[in-house]
Amino acid sequence: MSGVRVIVLVSGLTTDQIQMVNTRRLEDLIAGKKFAFERVDGALAENKEIRDTLFGVSGHRGKYPQCFIADGTGGYRFVGLWEEIESLVDCDALPKEVLDSNPNIPTFSRVFADVPLAE
Protein backbone atom coordinates (compact mmCIF):
# COMPACT_ATOMS: atom_id res chain seq x y z
CA MET A 1 0.00 0.00 0.00
CA SER A 2 1.44 3.40 -0.92
CA GLY A 3 0.42 7.03 -0.75
CA VAL A 4 -0.72 9.15 2.16
CA ARG A 5 -2.56 6.95 4.62
CA VAL A 6 -3.08 6.19 8.27
CA ILE A 7 -0.96 3.49 9.87
CA VAL A 8 -2.33 1.81 12.99
CA LEU A 9 0.36 -0.10 14.88
CA VAL A 10 -1.14 -2.84 17.04
CA SER A 11 -0.11 -6.03 18.79
CA GLY A 12 -2.02 -9.19 18.03
CA LEU A 13 -0.44 -10.85 21.07
CA THR A 14 -1.55 -8.42 23.76
CA THR A 15 -3.62 -9.72 26.62
CA ASP A 16 -4.04 -6.24 28.06
CA GLN A 17 -7.77 -5.52 27.90
CA ILE A 18 -7.28 -1.75 27.78
CA GLN A 19 -4.95 -2.03 24.78
CA MET A 20 -7.40 -4.36 23.06
CA VAL A 21 -10.35 -2.01 23.60
CA ASN A 22 -8.35 1.05 22.58
CA THR A 23 -7.14 -0.71 19.43
CA ARG A 24 -10.71 -1.53 18.47
CA ARG A 25 -11.80 2.05 19.18
CA LEU A 26 -9.00 3.51 17.06
CA GLU A 27 -9.62 1.16 14.15
CA ASP A 28 -13.38 1.80 14.34
CA LEU A 29 -12.80 5.56 14.38
CA ILE A 30 -10.45 5.51 11.38
CA ALA A 31 -12.70 3.14 9.43
CA GLY A 32 -15.76 5.21 10.35
CA LYS A 33 -14.08 8.32 8.93
CA LYS A 34 -13.48 6.22 5.78
CA PHE A 35 -9.75 6.94 5.69
CA ALA A 36 -7.31 4.77 3.82
CA PHE A 37 -5.43 2.92 6.54
CA GLU A 38 -3.09 0.03 7.09
CA ARG A 39 -3.05 -2.14 10.20
CA VAL A 40 0.46 -3.25 11.17
CA ASP A 41 0.67 -6.05 13.73
CA GLY A 42 3.92 -5.37 15.54
CA ALA A 43 3.91 -8.87 17.03
CA LEU A 44 4.44 -10.52 13.65
CA ALA A 45 8.05 -11.32 12.71
CA GLU A 46 7.54 -10.07 9.16
CA ASN A 47 6.64 -6.62 10.53
CA LYS A 48 9.73 -6.25 12.76
CA GLU A 49 11.44 -3.70 10.50
CA ILE A 50 8.41 -1.43 10.10
CA ARG A 51 7.53 -1.86 13.80
CA ASP A 52 11.02 -0.76 14.85
CA THR A 53 10.88 2.18 12.43
CA LEU A 54 7.54 3.27 13.87
CA PHE A 55 8.78 2.84 17.46
CA GLY A 56 11.69 5.10 16.52
CA VAL A 57 9.32 7.75 15.18
CA SER A 58 6.95 7.65 18.15
CA GLY A 59 9.45 7.09 20.93
CA HIS A 60 7.00 4.58 22.44
CA ARG A 61 8.22 0.99 22.42
CA GLY A 62 5.67 -1.72 23.20
CA LYS A 63 2.69 0.62 23.71
CA TYR A 64 -0.36 -0.02 21.56
CA PRO A 65 -2.23 1.16 19.62
CA GLN A 66 -0.14 3.84 17.94
CA CYS A 67 -1.36 6.02 15.11
CA PHE A 68 0.78 7.46 12.32
CA ILE A 69 0.29 9.23 9.03
CA ALA A 70 2.46 7.87 6.22
CA ASP A 71 3.42 10.66 3.83
CA GLY A 72 3.62 8.44 0.76
CA THR A 73 7.39 8.92 0.35
CA GLY A 74 8.56 6.59 3.11
CA GLY A 75 8.19 9.05 5.97
CA TYR A 76 5.91 8.74 8.98
CA ARG A 77 4.43 11.29 11.36
CA PHE A 78 3.40 10.09 14.80
CA VAL A 79 -0.09 11.30 15.65
CA GLY A 80 -0.42 9.67 19.05
CA LEU A 81 -1.52 6.85 21.26
CA TRP A 82 -5.27 6.32 21.68
CA GLU A 83 -5.53 8.94 24.42
CA GLU A 84 -4.12 11.63 22.13
CA ILE A 85 -6.41 10.60 19.28
CA GLU A 86 -9.40 10.73 21.60
CA SER A 87 -8.37 14.24 22.66
CA LEU A 88 -8.16 15.32 19.01
CA VAL A 89 -11.72 14.06 18.47
CA ASP A 90 -12.88 15.97 21.56
CA CYS A 91 -11.26 19.16 20.23
CA ASP A 92 -13.32 18.83 17.03
CA ALA A 93 -16.38 19.46 19.23
CA LEU A 94 -15.13 22.87 20.41
CA PRO A 95 -17.28 25.78 19.26
CA LYS A 96 -16.45 27.01 15.76
CA GLU A 97 -15.64 30.49 17.08
CA VAL A 98 -13.02 29.03 19.44
CA LEU A 99 -11.43 26.97 16.68
CA ASP A 100 -11.51 29.87 14.20
CA SER A 101 -9.80 32.20 16.66
CA ASN A 102 -7.27 29.51 17.69
CA PRO A 103 -6.03 27.85 14.50
CA ASN A 104 -3.17 26.18 16.38
CA ILE A 105 -5.50 23.99 18.43
CA PRO A 106 -4.94 20.48 17.08
CA THR A 107 -8.17 18.72 16.16
CA PHE A 108 -8.83 15.39 14.52
CA SER A 109 -10.06 17.13 11.36
CA ARG A 110 -7.00 19.35 11.16
CA VAL A 111 -4.44 16.61 11.84
CA PHE A 112 -6.00 14.22 9.32
CA ALA A 113 -6.89 16.89 6.71
CA ASP A 114 -4.43 15.54 4.11
CA VAL A 115 -5.40 11.86 4.45
CA PRO A 116 -7.49 10.67 1.50
CA LEU A 117 -10.61 8.62 1.90
CA ALA A 118 -10.37 4.91 1.14
CA GLU A 119 -11.31 3.93 -2.38
Side-chain angles (χ1 to χ4, degrees), residues 67-82:
C67 186
F68 301 83
I69 296 176
D71 66 12
T73 64
Y76 302 95
R77 179 168 50 104
F78 178 60
V79 179
L81 301 169
W82 168 248

Side-chain angles (χ1 to χ4, degrees), residues 31-104:
K33 298 286 187 180
K34 301 194 182 329
F35 287 128
F37 84 96
E38 179 180 353
R39 181 182 203 269
V40 174
D41 187 342
L44 297 177
E46 63 261 26
N47 291 334
K48 182 183 184 317
E49 185 176 336
I50 183 68
R51 178 199 67 208
D52 289 346
T53 297
L54 295 174
F55 282 167
V57 172
S58 72
H60 295 282
R61 187 172 255 332
K63 292 184 180 181
Y64 301 97
Q66 296 186 28
C67 186
F68 301 83
I69 296 176
D71 66 12
T73 64
Y76 302 95
R77 179 168 50 104
F78 178 60
V79 179
L81 301 169
W82 168 248
E83 293 78 12
E84 288 87 11
I85 304 303
E86 192 172 37
S87 178
L88 291 173
V89 171
D90 290 345
C91 286
D92 263 344
L94 291 171
K96 182 180 181 334
E97 313 79 62
V98 172
L99 292 173
D100 287 347
S101 62
N102 296 281
N104 293 331

Side-chain angles (χ1 to χ4, degrees), residues 14-22:
T14 188
T15 58
D16 182 306
Q17 289 297 312
I18 293 172
Q19 283 187 5
M20 291 167 62
V21 168
N22 289 344

